[in-house]
Amino acid sequence: QVQLVESGGGLVQAGDSLRLSCAASGRTFSAYAMGWFRQAPGKEREFVASITRNGGSTYYTDSVKGRFTISRDNAKNTVYLQMNSLKPEDTAVYYCAASETIWTTRTSVRSENYSYWGQGTQVTVSS
């Protein structure tokens, strides 16, 4: 199995940028497709972005396309989420997750396809 630890959250103003990191330990990191999800207060957890095992393909929810970029460094066992032009509606706890499921755009958006989750990092965007 794999353990995941997120970092990089914080309080920023609208229009600012943040980069979240998710460090993995345990089983071989490159064996997992990775995803970022978020959960705002009073709302269900939602998909944000995903990336294949080798980083060759990515997928984003519509609300973050063009603003967020997911990437990974398998040598460093880390996945990143670069968030630019942040909006107040991006405020949430952000979670990274690891999936052993074959990656497709359809499978990668479903939280039940992810076996391992980090503890989350808070992102707050003020207006």
Side-chain angles (χ1 to χ4, degrees), residues 34-38 46-52 55-72 79-84 90 94 103-110 114:
M34 299 297 296
W36 285 97
F37 289 74
R38 65 187 179 186
E46 66 170 351
F47 168 80
V48 176
S50 64
I51 189 166
T52 54
S57 295
T58 58
Y59 189 63
Y60 301 91
T61 192
D62 285 347
S63 63
V64 308
K65 284 181 181 176
R67 300 189 299 123
F68 291 12
T69 302
I70 187 172
S71 62
R72 67 190 295 164
V79 62
Y80 305 97
L81 186 67
Q82 177 67 44
M83 305 186 295
N84 298 331
D90 295 318
Y94 283 72
W103 188 95
T104 68
T105 55
R106 178 181 293 183
T107 62
S108 73
V109 303
R110 299 175 66 89
Y114 292 81

